[in-house]
Amino acid sequence: MKRYVFQWLAILSFIFLPVFVYAGEPPLEEEQATAVTASVPEEGPVMEQSAPEETAPQQEAVAGPGEEKPEAATEPALEPEAENGELAGEKGIADPLEPWNRAMFTVNDKFYFWVLKPVARGYSAIVPEWGRVRVNNMFQNITMPVRFVNNLLQLKIEKAGIELLRFVFNTIAGVGGMFDVAKNIDLKPQDEDLGQTLGVYGIGNGFYLVWPVLGPSSLRDTVGIVGDYFLDPVNYITPVVDRIAVHSIDITNRTSLHIGDYEDLKESALDPYVSFRNAYFQHRNSKIKE
């Protein structure tokens, strides 16, 4: 009877898995908006006092603006940052499913605060931080095939070799991966996944997606998640209920180590949805460029 209660709880936790936001800082929209409003009154006096000096550089910076409206030269530089939270010099983020994505963002957000965060806090009260770090190291060690194969697919042979050596050292000397002894000899994790691999070969993001279970993603990264599923040894655990239980432990453990990160990012954003969307794409693009 106890076994079925545990399995039921594991299934429930996995079904309502909240969104996990990866490294990446949200755009500073408040500072950008302040910079825009602050710059407008400063241009008026300068235009009246020294109009010839202001119009010359503006004509060079922007082709064809009228001399009567020199402030138009500054607008193109501000629009990429102000509009939709996009960064200057970057392509716009395709988000044709925004109504769906916003709804799923809200669902994941509510579940994080109502269910997962309280569970993670209770878990933290029982398991000390050093124990949770050991559990996190063990799961990272288990998922080595995902990183190893994708490094090979990207022709990063040296990094693939590092991942293999890390697995050997941590499995043997690190007691099944609970201790990351490889980092002591400068063998650091080489984080790669299939979504990054597809990006390296020129496949674009497609469009933005927020899944009710997996959180933020894109069309390309969704395909990557499916491919990486078959490389994760945890997904071969049987029966399925036990597999879900193991994933639930991993999720709860990782959440317990990062309580507060999600809240800080959300509180600093004017529009949390836009900020998290941009932060996700910035993070993914930076990983591809590494």
Side-chain angles (χ1 to χ4, degrees):
M1 182 64 182
K2 293 182 179 179
R3 174 183 173 84
Y4 291 106
V5 170
F6 174 75
Q7 293 176 347
W8 182 83
L9 290 174
I11 294 173
L12 182 63
S13 299
F14 183 77
I15 289 176
F16 293 100
L17 170 65
V19 58
F20 285 93
V21 180
Y22 306 99
E25 298 181 355
L28 301 178
E29 298 178 4
E30 293 188 34
E31 296 182 7
Q32 293 172 357
T34 304
V36 174
T37 55
S39 62
V40 173
E42 294 177 0
E43 292 179 356
V46 174
M47 290 165 50
E48 294 176 0
Q49 296 175 1
S50 57
E53 296 179 3
E54 287 292 324
T55 55
Q58 290 169 1
Q59 290 178 354
E60 294 177 1
V62 180
E67 295 183 359
E68 297 179 357
K69 297 181 179 181
E71 66 273 11
T74 60
E75 292 179 359
L78 295 172
E79 287 178 358
E81 296 182 349
E83 184 177 354
N84 296 328
E86 296 170 9
L87 296 179
E90 292 186 0
K91 295 181 179 179
I93 299 172
D95 193 4
L97 302 178
E98 183 172 343
W100 159 272
N101 291 335
R102 282 187 178 272
M104 293 305 102
F105 178 84
T106 301
V107 169
N108 292 334
D109 177 80
K110 297 303 180 184
F111 180 76
Y112 172 78
F113 287 107
W114 293 353
V115 179
L116 189 64
K117 185 177 179 179
V119 171
R121 278 181 168 175
Y123 174 79
S124 301
I126 299 173
V127 182
E129 183 177 358
W130 63 264
R132 287 178 278 133
V133 171
R134 302 292 179 267
V135 173
N136 187 69
N137 290 341
M138 183 180 64
F139 276 107
Q140 185 181 49
N141 193 60
I142 293 174
T143 56
M144 180 276 295
V146 176
R147 300 184 296 274
F148 175 74
V149 171
N150 281 288
N151 273 294
L152 286 179
L153 291 176
Q154 297 178 35
L155 303 181
K156 298 178 179 179
I157 308 302
E158 182 179 354
K159 291 185 176 182
I162 292 175
E163 271 299 321
L164 186 59
L165 289 174
R166 278 181 52 82
F167 179 76
V168 173
F169 285 134
N170 289 340
T171 301
I172 298 175
V175 192
M178 288 192 296
F179 297 88
D180 191 357
V181 296
K183 68 179 181 181
N184 296 328
I185 54 176
D186 202 26
L187 294 177
K188 300 179 181 180
Q190 307 299 315
D191 188 23
E192 298 291 347
D193 56 50
L194 186 55
Q196 296 177 43
T197 300
L198 296 175
V200 167
Y201 285 99
I203 298 178
N205 289 305
F207 52 85
Y208 186 58
L209 284 168
V210 178
W211 294 109
V213 173
L214 301 178
S217 185
S218 66
L219 182 60
R220 180 194 65 203
D221 289 344
T222 298
V223 175
I225 291 172
V226 174
D228 290 337
Y229 175 89
F230 297 100
L231 295 174
D232 188 350
V234 175
N235 293 322
Y236 292 93
I237 296 176
T238 55
V240 176
V241 174
D242 292 344
R243 181 190 316 162
I244 294 174
V246 173
H247 278 300
S248 299
I249 294 172
D250 180 25
I251 293 163
T252 303
N253 188 77
R254 282 190 286 117
T255 302
S256 70
L257 294 171
H258 299 283
I259 292 178
D261 293 352
Y262 175 78
E263 293 87 335
D264 292 341
L265 289 171
K266 183 180 178 182
E267 290 175 1
S268 64
L270 290 176
D271 185 343
Y273 171 78
V274 173
S275 295
F276 277 92
R277 181 188 64 187
N278 290 339
Y280 174 78
F281 275 88
Q282 291 172 32
H283 172 70
R284 295 298 293 172
N285 289 338
S286 66
K287 297 294 290 183
I288 293 172
K289 293 176 182 178
E290 289 181 355

